[in-house]
Amino acid sequence: IDFLLNGWLPATAGRRDLYQADTLSARLADRVRQSLVVTSLRRAIGATASELPNGTAIVEAARAAYAAARRQAEDVCPAARVRCVFVVQPIITDRNAPSYPEQIEIDARSIDFPDYGRLYRAYVAAMREEFPDTIDARAAIADDPRMMFLDWVHLTAAGNELVARHIADVTVAR
């Protein structure tokens, strides 16, 4: 918890390079990096040439890729003597009332991948069904009126603070 609020949050507030691999062993960092949602979705998109209109093949491929990487990370964490928590990354489409700059980003990205928000929600539902202990940080930023995102996934300082506090609160409650 102290690491989240006093280490990670101040070190990453407002930065685009939020992943701080130097805080973990190289081996653990490699395993954790593999479990990132973006990697899973990219693998899934590349693996589904004959995609169904409703996106079920992409969602299933992403869930399978995440599940494999998550199990690897779960094996590495105890060996590295690290307590790992897994968190659903908020994305800009999780905002209930996006700010004007956020809406511009959503509109621009929707041209290339119009169903991304819907597919991400389906992916998270499938992933959380398999791994119910995953912390869902999406609600932490959904209704805040301030600008929460710098781009599709990178949070502002205010967004980082809300997510870090949410993770800390949930982790303490466990």
Side-chain angles (χ1 to χ4, degrees):
I1 305 306
D2 182 62
F3 168 73
L4 277 174
L5 297 179
N6 298 318
W8 180 80
L9 177 63
T12 61
R15 291 177 53 187
R16 289 178 178 261
D17 58 333
L18 299 179
Y19 185 71
Q20 301 293 316
D22 60 330
T23 62
L24 302 171
S25 71
R27 184 169 178 224
L28 178 60
D30 287 342
R31 297 299 183 217
V32 172
R33 193 176 300 117
Q34 290 174 17
S35 70
L36 294 175
V37 172
V38 172
T39 302
S40 299
L41 287 172
R42 284 184 182 151
R43 285 182 191 159
I45 291 165
T48 56
S50 59
E51 176 53 40
L52 300 174
N54 65 2
T56 54
I58 285 176
V59 170
E60 175 51 29
R63 186 216 51 80
Y66 175 84
R70 165 87 181 249
R71 286 187 184 93
Q72 287 178 338
E74 287 174 338
D75 291 341
V76 172
C77 292
R81 295 188 184 129
V82 175
R83 179 181 177 207
C84 291
V85 294
F86 298 89
V87 180
V88 173
Q89 164 74 43
I91 63 171
I92 202 166
T93 57
D94 293 325
R95 301 279 286 147
N96 292 328
S99 67
Y100 182 71
E102 290 170 331
Q103 189 60 56
I104 290 172
E105 177 73 15
I106 291 168
D107 293 344
R109 291 288 178 112
S110 295
I111 293 169
D112 294 329
F113 201 1
D115 283 341
Y116 189 86
R118 180 183 62 81
L119 293 173
Y120 185 73
R121 286 187 298 278
Y123 159 77
V124 168
M127 181 268 297
R128 289 202 70 219
E129 187 173 310
E130 188 166 353
F131 300 102
D133 63 330
T134 302
I135 297 171
D136 191 347
R138 296 175 302 162
I141 52 86
D143 294 317
D144 195 289
R146 298 172 292 175
M147 186 171 152
M148 293 284 110
F149 287 90
L150 297 169
D151 60 16
W152 199 253
V153 296
H154 296 107
L155 296 163
T156 63
N160 277 326
E161 182 175 355
L162 289 175
V163 169
R165 290 189 187 287
H166 178 77
I167 294 168
D169 290 347
V170 172
T171 303
V172 166
R174 291 183 179 173

Coordinates of all heavy atoms in Angstrom, one line a residue, residues 42-136:
R42 N -3.7 -7.5 -28.3 CA -2.9 -7.5 -29.6 C -2.7 -8.9 -30.1 O -2.8 -9.2 -31.3 CB -1.6 -6.8 -29.4 CG -1.7 -5.3 -29.3 CD -0.4 -4.6 -29.2 NE -0.6 -3.2 -29.1 CZ 0.2 -2.4 -28.5 NH1 1.3 -2.9 -27.9 NH2 0.0 -1.1 -28.5
R43 N -2.4 -9.8 -29.2 CA -2.2 -11.2 -29.6 C -3.5 -11.8 -30.1 O -3.5 -12.5 -31.1 CB -1.8 -12.1 -28.3 CG -0.4 -11.9 -27.9 CD -0.2 -12.9 -26.7 NE 1.1 -12.6 -26.1 CZ 1.4 -12.9 -24.9 NH1 0.6 -13.6 -24.1 NH2 2.6 -12.6 -24.4
A44 N -4.6 -11.4 -29.5 CA -5.9 -11.9 -29.9 C -6.3 -11.4 -31.2 O -6.8 -12.2 -32.1 CB -7.0 -11.5 -28.9
I45 N -6.1 -10.2 -31.5 CA -6.4 -9.6 -32.8 C -5.6 -10.2 -33.9 O -6.1 -10.5 -34.9 CB -6.3 -8.0 -32.7 CG1 -7.3 -7.4 -31.8 CG2 -6.4 -7.4 -34.1 CD1 -7.0 -6.0 -31.4
G46 N -4.4 -10.4 -33.6 CA -3.5 -11.1 -34.6 C -3.9 -12.5 -34.8 O -3.6 -13.1 -35.9
A47 N -4.4 -13.2 -33.8 CA -4.7 -14.6 -33.9 C -6.1 -14.9 -34.5 O -6.5 -16.0 -34.6 CB -4.6 -15.2 -32.5
T48 N -6.9 -13.9 -34.8 CA -8.3 -14.1 -35.2 C -8.5 -13.5 -36.6 O -9.2 -12.5 -36.7 CB -9.3 -13.5 -34.2 OG1 -9.0 -12.2 -34.0 CG2 -9.2 -14.2 -32.9
A49 N -8.1 -14.2 -37.6 CA -8.2 -13.7 -39.0 C -9.7 -13.7 -39.4 O -10.1 -12.8 -40.1 CB -7.4 -14.5 -39.9
S50 N -10.4 -14.7 -39.0 CA -11.8 -14.8 -39.4 C -12.7 -14.5 -38.3 O -13.4 -15.3 -37.7 CB -12.1 -16.3 -39.9 OG -11.9 -17.2 -38.8
E51 N -12.7 -13.2 -37.9 CA -13.4 -12.7 -36.7 C -14.9 -12.7 -37.0 O -15.4 -12.4 -38.0 CB -12.9 -11.3 -36.4 CG -13.7 -10.6 -35.3 CD -13.7 -11.4 -34.0 OE1 -12.8 -12.1 -33.7 OE2 -14.8 -11.5 -33.4
L52 N -15.7 -13.1 -35.9 CA -17.1 -13.0 -36.0 C -17.6 -11.5 -35.8 O -16.9 -10.8 -35.1 CB -17.7 -13.9 -34.8 CG -17.3 -15.3 -34.9 CD1 -17.9 -16.0 -33.7 CD2 -17.9 -16.0 -36.1
P53 N -18.7 -11.2 -36.3 CA -19.2 -9.8 -36.2 C -19.3 -9.3 -34.8 O -19.1 -8.1 -34.5 CB -20.5 -9.8 -36.9 CG -20.5 -11.0 -37.8 CD -19.6 -12.0 -37.2
N54 N -19.7 -10.2 -33.8 CA -19.9 -9.7 -32.5 C -18.6 -9.7 -31.6 O -18.6 -9.4 -30.5 CB -21.0 -10.5 -31.8 CG -20.6 -12.0 -31.6 OD1 -19.5 -12.4 -32.0 ND2 -21.5 -12.7 -31.0
G55 N -17.5 -10.1 -32.2 CA -16.2 -10.1 -31.5 C -15.9 -11.2 -30.6 O -15.0 -11.2 -29.8
T56 N -16.7 -12.3 -30.6 CA -16.5 -13.4 -29.6 C -15.1 -14.0 -29.8 O -14.5 -14.4 -28.8 CB -17.6 -14.4 -29.7 OG1 -17.7 -14.9 -31.0 CG2 -18.9 -13.9 -29.2
A57 N -14.6 -14.2 -31.0 CA -13.3 -14.8 -31.2 C -12.2 -13.9 -30.7 O -11.3 -14.5 -30.0 CB -13.1 -15.1 -32.7
I58 N -12.3 -12.6 -30.8 CA -11.3 -11.7 -30.3 C -11.3 -11.8 -28.8 O -10.3 -11.9 -28.1 CB -11.4 -10.3 -30.8 CG1 -11.0 -10.2 -32.2 CG2 -10.7 -9.3 -29.9 CD1 -11.2 -8.8 -32.8
V59 N -12.5 -11.7 -28.2 CA -12.6 -11.7 -26.7 C -12.1 -13.1 -26.2 O -11.3 -13.1 -25.2 CB -14.1 -11.5 -26.3 CG1 -14.3 -11.8 -24.8 CG2 -14.5 -10.1 -26.7
E60 N -12.4 -14.2 -26.8 CA -11.9 -15.5 -26.3 C -10.4 -15.6 -26.4 O -9.8 -16.1 -25.5 CB -12.7 -16.6 -27.0 CG -12.2 -18.0 -26.6 CD -12.1 -18.3 -25.1 OE1 -12.9 -17.7 -24.3 OE2 -11.2 -19.0 -24.7
A61 N -9.9 -15.2 -27.5 CA -8.4 -15.3 -27.7 C -7.7 -14.4 -26.7 O -6.7 -14.8 -26.2 CB -8.1 -14.9 -29.1
A62 N -8.2 -13.2 -26.4 CA -7.6 -12.3 -25.5 C -7.7 -12.9 -24.1 O -6.8 -12.8 -23.3 CB -8.3 -10.9 -25.5
R63 N -8.9 -13.5 -23.7 CA -9.0 -14.1 -22.4 C -8.0 -15.2 -22.2 O -7.4 -15.4 -21.2 CB -10.5 -14.6 -22.2 CG -10.7 -15.1 -20.8 CD -11.7 -16.3 -20.8 NE -11.3 -17.3 -21.6 CZ -10.4 -18.3 -21.4 NH1 -9.7 -18.3 -20.3 NH2 -10.1 -19.3 -22.3
A64 N -7.9 -16.1 -23.3 CA -7.0 -17.2 -23.2 C -5.5 -16.7 -23.0 O -4.8 -17.3 -22.3 CB -7.1 -18.1 -24.4
A65 N -5.2 -15.7 -23.8 CA -3.8 -15.2 -23.7 C -3.5 -14.6 -22.3 O -2.5 -14.8 -21.7 CB -3.6 -14.1 -24.8
Y66 N -4.5 -13.8 -21.8 CA -4.4 -13.3 -20.4 C -4.3 -14.4 -19.4 O -3.4 -14.3 -18.5 CB -5.5 -12.4 -20.1 CG -5.5 -11.8 -18.7 CD1 -4.7 -10.7 -18.4 CD2 -6.1 -12.5 -17.7 CE1 -4.6 -10.3 -17.1 CE2 -6.0 -12.1 -16.4 CZ -5.3 -11.0 -16.1 OH -5.2 -10.5 -14.8
A67 N -5.1 -15.4 -19.5 CA -5.2 -16.5 -18.5 C -3.8 -17.2 -18.5 O -3.3 -17.5 -17.4 CB -6.3 -17.5 -18.8
A68 N -3.2 -17.4 -19.6 CA -1.9 -18.1 -19.6 C -0.8 -17.2 -19.0 O 0.0 -17.7 -18.2 CB -1.5 -18.5 -21.1
A69 N -0.8 -16.0 -19.3 CA 0.2 -15.0 -18.8 C -0.1 -14.8 -17.3 O 0.9 -14.7 -16.5 CB 0.1 -13.7 -19.5
R70 N -1.3 -14.8 -16.9 CA -1.7 -14.6 -15.5 C -1.2 -15.7 -14.6 O -0.6 -15.6 -13.6 CB -3.2 -14.4 -15.4 CG -3.8 -14.5 -14.0 CD -3.7 -13.2 -13.2 NE -4.3 -13.3 -11.9 CZ -5.4 -12.8 -11.5 NH1 -6.1 -12.1 -12.3 NH2 -5.9 -13.0 -10.2
R71 N -1.4 -16.9 -15.1 CA -1.0 -18.1 -14.4 C 0.6 -18.1 -14.2 O 1.1 -18.5 -13.2 CB -1.5 -19.4 -15.0 CG -3.0 -19.6 -14.8 CD -3.5 -20.9 -15.3 NE -4.9 -21.0 -15.1 CZ -5.8 -20.6 -16.0 NH1 -5.4 -20.2 -17.2 NH2 -7.1 -20.7 -15.8
Q72 N 1.3 -17.7 -15.3 CA 2.7 -17.6 -15.2 C 3.1 -16.6 -14.1 O 4.0 -16.9 -13.3 CB 3.3 -17.2 -16.5 CG 3.3 -18.3 -17.6 CD 3.9 -17.9 -18.9 OE1 3.9 -16.7 -19.2 NE2 4.3 -18.8 -19.7
A73 N 2.5 -15.5 -14.1 CA 2.8 -14.4 -13.1 C 2.5 -14.9 -11.7 O 3.2 -14.7 -10.8 CB 2.0 -13.1 -13.4
E74 N 1.4 -15.6 -11.6 CA 1.0 -16.1 -10.2 C 2.0 -17.1 -9.7 O 2.2 -17.3 -8.5 CB -0.4 -16.8 -10.3 CG -1.5 -15.8 -10.4 CD -2.9 -16.4 -10.6 OE1 -3.0 -17.5 -11.0 OE2 -3.9 -15.7 -10.3
D75 N 2.7 -17.9 -10.6 CA 3.8 -18.8 -10.2 C 5.0 -18.0 -9.8 O 5.7 -18.5 -8.9 CB 4.1 -19.8 -11.4 CG 3.0 -20.8 -11.6 OD1 2.1 -20.9 -10.7 OD2 2.9 -21.4 -12.7
V76 N 5.3 -17.0 -10.5 CA 6.6 -16.2 -10.3 C 6.5 -15.4 -9.0 O 7.5 -15.2 -8.3 CB 6.9 -15.3 -11.5 CG1 8.1 -14.4 -11.2 CG2 7.2 -16.2 -12.7
C77 N 5.3 -14.8 -8.7 CA 5.2 -13.9 -7.6 C 5.7 -14.5 -6.3 O 6.5 -13.9 -5.6 CB 3.8 -13.3 -7.5 SG 3.3 -12.3 -8.9
P78 N 5.2 -15.6 -5.9 CA 5.6 -16.2 -4.6 C 7.1 -16.5 -4.6 O 7.8 -16.3 -3.6 CB 4.8 -17.5 -4.4 CG 3.6 -17.3 -5.4 CD 4.1 -16.4 -6.5
A79 N 7.6 -17.0 -5.7 CA 9.0 -17.3 -5.8 C 9.9 -16.0 -5.7 O 11.0 -16.1 -5.1 CB 9.3 -18.0 -7.2
A80 N 9.4 -14.9 -6.1 CA 10.1 -13.6 -6.0 C 9.8 -13.0 -4.6 O 10.3 -11.9 -4.4 CB 9.7 -12.7 -7.1
R81 N 9.0 -13.6 -3.8 CA 8.6 -13.1 -2.5 C 7.9 -11.7 -2.7 O 8.1 -10.8 -1.9 CB 9.7 -13.0 -1.5 CG 10.3 -14.3 -1.2 CD 11.3 -14.2 -0.1 NE 11.9 -15.5 0.1 CZ 13.2 -15.7 0.2 NH1 14.1 -14.7 0.0 NH2 13.7 -16.9 0.4
V82 N 7.0 -11.7 -3.7 CA 6.3 -10.5 -4.0 C 4.8 -10.8 -3.9 O 4.3 -11.8 -4.4 CB 6.6 -9.9 -5.4 CG1 5.7 -8.7 -5.7 CG2 8.1 -9.6 -5.5
R83 N 4.0 -9.9 -3.2 CA 2.6 -10.1 -3.2 C 2.1 -9.4 -4.5 O 2.2 -8.1 -4.6 CB 1.9 -9.5 -2.0 CG 0.4 -9.6 -2.0 CD -0.2 -9.0 -0.8 NE -1.7 -9.1 -1.0 CZ -2.5 -8.2 -0.4 NH1 -2.1 -7.3 0.4 NH2 -3.8 -8.4 -0.6
C84 N 1.5 -10.1 -5.4 CA 1.0 -9.5 -6.6 C -0.5 -9.3 -6.5 O -1.2 -10.2 -6.1 CB 1.4 -10.4 -7.8 SG 3.1 -10.4 -8.2
V85 N -0.9 -8.2 -7.0 CA -2.4 -8.0 -7.2 C -2.5 -7.7 -8.7 O -1.7 -7.1 -9.3 CB -2.9 -6.8 -6.3 CG1 -2.8 -7.2 -4.9 CG2 -2.2 -5.5 -6.6
F86 N -3.7 -8.1 -9.2 CA -3.9 -7.9 -10.6 C -5.1 -7.0 -10.7 O -6.1 -7.1 -10.0 CB -4.2 -9.3 -11.3 CG -3.0 -10.2 -11.2 CD1 -2.9 -11.0 -10.1 CD2 -2.1 -10.2 -12.2 CE1 -1.8 -11.9 -9.9 CE2 -1.0 -11.1 -12.1 CZ -0.8 -11.9 -11.0
V87 N -5.0 -6.0 -11.7 CA -5.9 -4.9 -11.7 C -6.4 -4.8 -13.2 O -5.6 -4.8 -14.1 CB -5.2 -3.6 -11.3 CG1 -6.1 -2.4 -11.4 CG2 -4.6 -3.8 -9.9
V88 N -7.7 -4.6 -13.3 CA -8.3 -4.2 -14.6 C -7.9 -2.8 -14.9 O -8.2 -1.9 -14.1 CB -9.8 -4.4 -14.6 CG1 -10.4 -3.9 -15.9 CG2 -10.2 -5.9 -14.4
Q89 N -7.2 -2.6 -16.0 CA -6.8 -1.2 -16.4 C -8.0 -0.4 -16.9 O -8.7 -0.9 -17.8 CB -5.8 -1.4 -17.6 CG -5.5 -0.1 -18.4 CD -4.7 0.9 -17.6 OE1 -3.7 0.6 -17.0 NE2 -5.1 2.2 -17.7
P90 N -8.3 0.7 -16.4 CA -9.3 1.6 -16.9 C -8.9 2.1 -18.3 O -7.7 2.3 -18.6 CB -9.4 2.8 -16.0 CG -8.7 2.4 -14.8 CD -7.7 1.3 -15.2
I91 N -9.8 2.2 -19.2 CA -9.5 2.8 -20.5 C -10.5 3.9 -20.7 O -11.5 4.0 -20.0 CB -9.6 1.8 -21.7 CG1 -11.0 1.2 -21.8 CG2 -8.5 0.7 -21.5 CD1 -11.2 0.3 -23.1
I92 N -10.2 4.7 -21.7 CA -11.0 6.0 -21.9 C -12.5 5.7 -22.1 O -13.3 6.6 -21.7 CB -10.3 6.8 -23.0 CG1 -10.7 8.3 -22.8 CG2 -10.6 6.3 -24.4 CD1 -9.9 9.2 -23.7
T93 N -12.8 4.6 -22.7 CA -14.2 4.3 -23.0 C -15.0 3.9 -21.7 O -16.2 3.8 -21.8 CB -14.4 3.3 -24.1 OG1 -13.7 2.1 -23.6 CG2 -13.9 3.7 -25.4
D94 N -14.3 3.8 -20.6 CA -15.0 3.5 -19.3 C -15.6 4.8 -18.7 O -16.3 4.7 -17.7 CB -14.0 2.9 -18.3 CG -13.5 1.5 -18.7 OD1 -14.3 0.8 -19.3 OD2 -12.3 1.2 -18.4
R95 N -15.3 5.9 -19.2 CA -15.8 7.2 -18.7 C -17.2 7.3 -19.0 O -17.7 7.2 -20.2 CB -15.0 8.4 -19.3 CG -13.5 8.3 -19.1 CD -13.1 8.8 -17.7 NE -13.2 10.3 -17.8 CZ -13.6 11.0 -16.7 NH1 -13.9 10.4 -15.6 NH2 -13.7 12.3 -16.8
N96 N -18.0 7.7 -18.0 CA -19.5 7.9 -18.2 C -19.7 9.2 -18.9 O -20.7 9.4 -19.6 CB -20.2 7.7 -16.9 CG -20.2 6.3 -16.4 OD1 -20.2 5.4 -17.2 ND2 -20.2 6.1 -15.1
A97 N -18.9 10.2 -18.6 CA -19.0 11.6 -19.1 C -17.6 12.1 -19.5 O -17.1 12.8 -18.7 CB -19.8 12.5 -18.2
P98 N -17.1 11.6 -20.6 CA -15.7 12.0 -20.9 C -15.6 13.6 -21.1 O -16.6 14.2 -21.6 CB -15.4 11.3 -22.2 CG -16.6 10.7 -22.7 CD -17.7 10.8 -21.6
S99 N -14.4 14.1 -20.8 CA -14.2 15.5 -21.0 C -14.1 15.7 -22.5 O -14.0 14.8 -23.3 CB -12.9 15.9 -20.3 OG -11.8 15.3 -21.0
Y100 N -14.1 17.0 -22.9 CA -14.0 17.3 -24.4 C -12.7 16.7 -25.0 O -12.8 16.0 -26.0 CB -14.1 18.8 -24.6 CG -14.0 19.2 -26.1 CD1 -15.1 18.9 -26.9 CD2 -12.9 19.8 -26.6 CE1 -15.1 19.2 -28.2 CE2 -12.9 20.1 -27.9 CZ -13.9 19.8 -28.8 OH -13.9 20.1 -30.1
P101 N -11.5 16.8 -24.4 CA -10.3 16.2 -25.0 C -10.4 14.7 -25.0 O -10.0 14.0 -26.0 CB -9.2 16.7 -24.1 CG -9.7 17.9 -23.5 CD -11.2 17.7 -23.3
E102 N -11.0 14.1 -24.0 CA -11.2 12.7 -24.0 C -12.2 12.2 -25.1 O -11.9 11.2 -25.7 CB -11.7 12.2 -22.6 CG -10.7 12.3 -21.5 CD -11.3 12.1 -20.1 OE1 -12.5 12.4 -19.9 OE2 -10.5 11.7 -19.3
Q103 N -13.2 13.0 -25.3 CA -14.2 12.6 -26.4 C -13.5 12.7 -27.7 O -13.8 11.8 -28.6 CB -15.4 13.5 -26.3 CG -16.5 13.0 -27.2 CD -17.0 11.6 -26.9 OE1 -17.4 11.3 -25.8 NE2 -17.0 10.7 -27.9
I104 N -12.7 13.7 -27.9 CA -11.9 13.7 -29.2 C -11.1 12.5 -29.4 O -11.0 11.9 -30.5 CB -11.1 15.0 -29.2 CG1 -12.0 16.2 -29.3 CG2 -10.1 15.0 -30.4 CD1 -11.3 17.6 -29.2
E105 N -10.4 12.1 -28.3 CA -9.6 10.8 -28.4 C -10.4 9.6 -28.7 O -10.1 8.8 -29.5 CB -8.8 10.6 -27.1 CG -8.0 9.4 -27.0 CD -6.7 9.4 -27.9 OE1 -6.3 10.5 -28.3 OE2 -6.1 8.4 -28.1
I106 N -11.6 9.5 -28.0 CA -12.5 8.4 -28.3 C -12.9 8.4 -29.7 O -12.9 7.3 -30.4 CB -13.7 8.4 -27.3 CG1 -13.2 8.2 -25.9 CG2 -14.8 7.5 -27.8 CD1 -14.3 8.5 -24.8
D107 N -13.3 9.5 -30.2 CA -13.8 9.6 -31.6 C -12.7 9.3 -32.6 O -13.0 8.6 -33.6 CB -14.3 11.0 -31.9 CG -15.6 11.4 -31.1 OD1 -16.2 10.4 -30.6 OD2 -15.9 12.6 -31.0
A108 N -11.5 9.7 -32.4 CA -10.4 9.5 -33.3 C -10.0 8.0 -33.3 O -9.8 7.4 -34.3 CB -9.2 10.3 -32.9
R109 N -10.0 7.4 -32.1 CA -9.7 5.9 -32.0 C -10.8 5.1 -32.6 O -10.6 4.0 -33.1 CB -9.4 5.5 -30.6 CG -8.1 6.1 -30.1 CD -6.9 5.4 -30.7 NE -5.6 6.0 -30.2 CZ -4.8 5.3 -29.4 NH1 -5.0 4.1 -29.1 NH2 -3.7 5.9 -29.0
S110 N -12.0 5.5 -32.5 CA -13.2 4.8 -32.9 C -13.2 4.6 -34.4 O -13.8 3.6 -34.9 CB -14.5 5.4 -32.5 OG -14.6 5.4 -31.1
I111 N -12.5 5.4 -35.1 CA -12.4 5.2 -36.6 C -11.6 4.0 -36.9 O -12.1 3.2 -37.8 CB -11.7 6.5 -37.2 CG1 -12.6 7.7 -37.1 CG2 -11.3 6.2 -38.7 CD1 -11.9 9.0 -37.4
D112 N -10.5 3.7 -36.2 CA -9.7 2.5 -36.5 C -10.3 1.3 -35.8 O -10.1 0.2 -36.3 CB -8.3 2.7 -36.0 CG -7.5 3.8 -36.7 OD1 -7.8 3.9 -37.9 OD2 -6.7 4.5 -36.1
F113 N -10.9 1.4 -34.7 CA -11.4 0.2 -33.9 C -12.7 0.6 -33.2 O -12.7 0.8 -32.0 CB -10.3 -0.2 -32.9 CG -10.4 -1.6 -32.4 CD1 -11.4 -2.5 -32.9 CD2 -9.6 -2.1 -31.5 CE1 -11.5 -3.8 -32.5 CE2 -9.6 -3.4 -31.0 CZ -10.6 -4.2 -31.5
P114 N -13.8 0.7 -34.0 CA -15.0 1.2 -33.5 C -15.6 0.4 -32.3 O -16.3 0.9 -31.5 CB -16.0 1.2 -34.7 CG -15.4 0.2 -35.6 CD -13.9 0.2 -35.4
D115 N -15.3 -0.9 -32.2 CA -15.9 -1.7 -31.1 C -15.0 -2.0 -29.9 O -15.3 -2.8 -29.1 CB -16.4 -3.1 -31.7 CG -17.7 -3.0 -32.5 OD1 -18.4 -2.0 -32.3 OD2 -17.9 -3.9 -33.3
Y116 N -13.9 -1.2 -29.8 CA -12.9 -1.5 -28.8 C -13.5 -1.5 -27.4 O -13.3 -2.4 -26.6 CB -11.7 -0.6 -28.9 CG -10.6 -1.0 -28.0 CD1 -9.7 -1.9 -28.4 CD2 -10.5 -0.5 -26.7 CE1 -8.6 -2.3 -27.6 CE2 -9.5 -0.9 -25.9 CZ -8.6 -1.8 -26.3 OH -7.5 -2.2 -25.5
G117 N -14.3 -0.5 -27.1 CA -14.9 -0.4 -25.8 C -15.8 -1.5 -25.4 O -15.7 -2.1 -24.3
R118 N -16.6 -1.9 -26.4 CA -17.5 -3.0 -26.1 C -16.7 -4.3 -26.0 O -17.0 -5.2 -25.1 CB -18.5 -3.2 -27.3 CG -19.5 -4.3 -27.2 CD -20.4 -4.4 -28.4 NE -19.7 -4.7 -29.6 CZ -19.3 -5.9 -30.0 NH1 -19.5 -7.0 -29.2 NH2 -18.7 -6.1 -31.1
L119 N -15.7 -4.5 -26.9 CA -14.9 -5.7 -26.8 C -14.1 -5.8 -25.5 O -14.0 -6.9 -24.9 CB -14.0 -5.8 -28.0 CG -14.7 -6.1 -29.3 CD1 -13.7 -6.0 -30.5 CD2 -15.4 -7.4 -29.4
Y120 N -13.6 -4.7 -25.0 CA -12.9 -4.6 -23.8 C -13.8 -5.0 -22.6 O -13.4 -5.8 -21.7 CB -12.3 -3.2 -23.6 CG -11.4 -3.1 -22.4 CD1 -10.1 -3.8 -22.4 CD2 -11.8 -2.4 -21.3 CE1 -9.3 -3.7 -21.3 CE2 -10.9 -2.4 -20.1 CZ -9.7 -3.0 -20.2 OH -8.9 -2.9 -19.1
R121 N -15.0 -4.5 -22.6 CA -15.9 -4.8 -21.5 C -16.2 -6.3 -21.5 O -16.3 -6.9 -20.5 CB -17.2 -4.0 -21.6 CG -17.0 -2.5 -21.2 CD -18.3 -1.7 -21.1 NE -19.0 -1.6 -22.4 CZ -18.7 -0.8 -23.4 NH1 -17.7 0.1 -23.2 NH2 -19.4 -0.7 -24.5
A122 N -16.4 -6.9 -22.7 CA -16.7 -8.3 -22.8 C -15.5 -9.1 -22.3 O -15.6 -10.1 -21.6 CB -17.1 -8.7 -24.2
Y123 N -14.3 -8.7 -22.7 CA -13.0 -9.3 -22.3 C -12.9 -9.3 -20.8 O -12.6 -10.3 -20.2 CB -11.9 -8.6 -23.0 CG -10.5 -8.8 -22.3 CD1 -9.9 -10.0 -22.5 CD2 -10.0 -7.8 -21.5 CE1 -8.7 -10.2 -21.8 CE2 -8.8 -8.0 -20.9 CZ -8.1 -9.2 -21.1 OH -6.9 -9.4 -20.4
V124 N -13.1 -8.1 -20.2 CA -13.0 -8.0 -18.7 C -14.0 -8.9 -18.0 O -13.7 -9.6 -17.1 CB -13.2 -6.5 -18.3 CG1 -13.3 -6.4 -16.8 CG2 -12.0 -5.7 -18.8
A125 N -15.2 -9.0 -18.5 CA -16.2 -9.8 -17.9 C -15.8 -11.3 -18.0 O -15.9 -12.0 -17.0 CB -17.6 -9.7 -18.6
A126 N -15.3 -11.7 -19.1 CA -14.8 -13.1 -19.2 C -13.6 -13.4 -18.3 O -13.5 -14.4 -17.7 CB -14.4 -13.4 -20.7
M127 N -12.7 -12.4 -18.3 CA -11.4 -12.5 -17.5 C -11.8 -12.6 -16.0 O -11.3 -13.4 -15.3 CB -10.5 -11.4 -17.8 CG -9.2 -11.4 -17.1 SD -9.2 -10.4 -15.6 CE -9.5 -8.8 -16.2
R128 N -12.7 -11.7 -15.6 CA -13.0 -11.6 -14.2 C -13.9 -12.8 -13.7 O -13.8 -13.2 -12.6 CB -13.8 -10.3 -13.9 CG -12.8 -9.1 -13.9 CD -13.3 -7.9 -13.2 NE -13.2 -8.2 -11.8 CZ -14.1 -7.7 -10.9 NH1 -15.1 -7.1 -11.3 NH2 -13.9 -8.0 -9.6
E129 N -14.6 -13.5 -14.7 CA -15.3 -14.7 -14.3 C -14.3 -15.8 -14.0 O -14.5 -16.6 -13.0 CB -16.1 -15.1 -15.5 CG -17.0 -16.3 -15.2 CD -17.9 -16.6 -16.3 OE1 -18.6 -15.7 -16.8 OE2 -18.0 -17.8 -16.8
E130 N -13.2 -15.8 -14.7 CA -12.1 -16.8 -14.4 C -11.2 -16.4 -13.2 O -10.7 -17.3 -12.5 CB -11.2 -17.0 -15.7 CG -10.3 -18.1 -15.6 CD -9.7 -18.5 -16.9 OE1 -10.1 -18.0 -18.0 OE2 -8.7 -19.3 -16.9
F131 N -11.0 -15.1 -13.1 CA -10.1 -14.6 -12.0 C -10.9 -13.6 -11.2 O -10.6 -12.4 -11.3 CB -8.9 -14.0 -12.6 CG -8.0 -15.0 -13.4 CD1 -8.1 -14.9 -14.8 CD2 -7.2 -15.9 -12.8 CE1 -7.3 -15.8 -15.5 CE2 -6.5 -16.8 -13.5 CZ -6.5 -16.8 -14.9
P132 N -11.8 -14.0 -10.3 CA -12.7 -13.0 -9.6 C -11.9 -12.2 -8.6 O -12.4 -11.1 -8.2 CB -13.7 -13.9 -8.9 CG -13.1 -15.3 -8.9 CD -12.2 -15.4 -10.0
D133 N -10.7 -12.5 -8.3 CA -9.9 -11.7 -7.3 C -9.2 -10.5 -8.0 O -8.6 -9.7 -7.3 CB -8.8 -12.6 -6.6 CG -7.8 -13.2 -7.6 OD1 -8.2 -13.4 -8.8 OD2 -6.7 -13.4 -7.2
T134 N -9.4 -10.4 -9.2 CA -8.8 -9.2 -10.0 C -9.5 -7.9 -9.5 O -10.7 -7.9 -9.5 CB -9.0 -9.4 -11.5 OG1 -8.4 -10.6 -11.9 CG2 -8.4 -8.3 -12.2
I135 N -8.7 -6.9 -9.2 CA -9.3 -5.6 -8.8 C -9.7 -4.9 -10.0 O -8.9 -4.7 -11.0 CB -8.2 -4.8 -8.0 CG1 -7.8 -5.5 -6.7 CG2 -8.7 -3.4 -7.7 CD1 -6.6 -4.9 -6.0
D136 N -10.9 -4.4 -10.0 CA -11.5 -3.7 -11.1 C -11.4 -2.2 -10.8 O -12.1 -1.7 -10.0 CB -12.9 -4.1 -11.4 CG -13.4 -3.5 -12.7 OD1 -12.8 -2.7 -13.3 OD2 -14.5 -4.0 -13.1

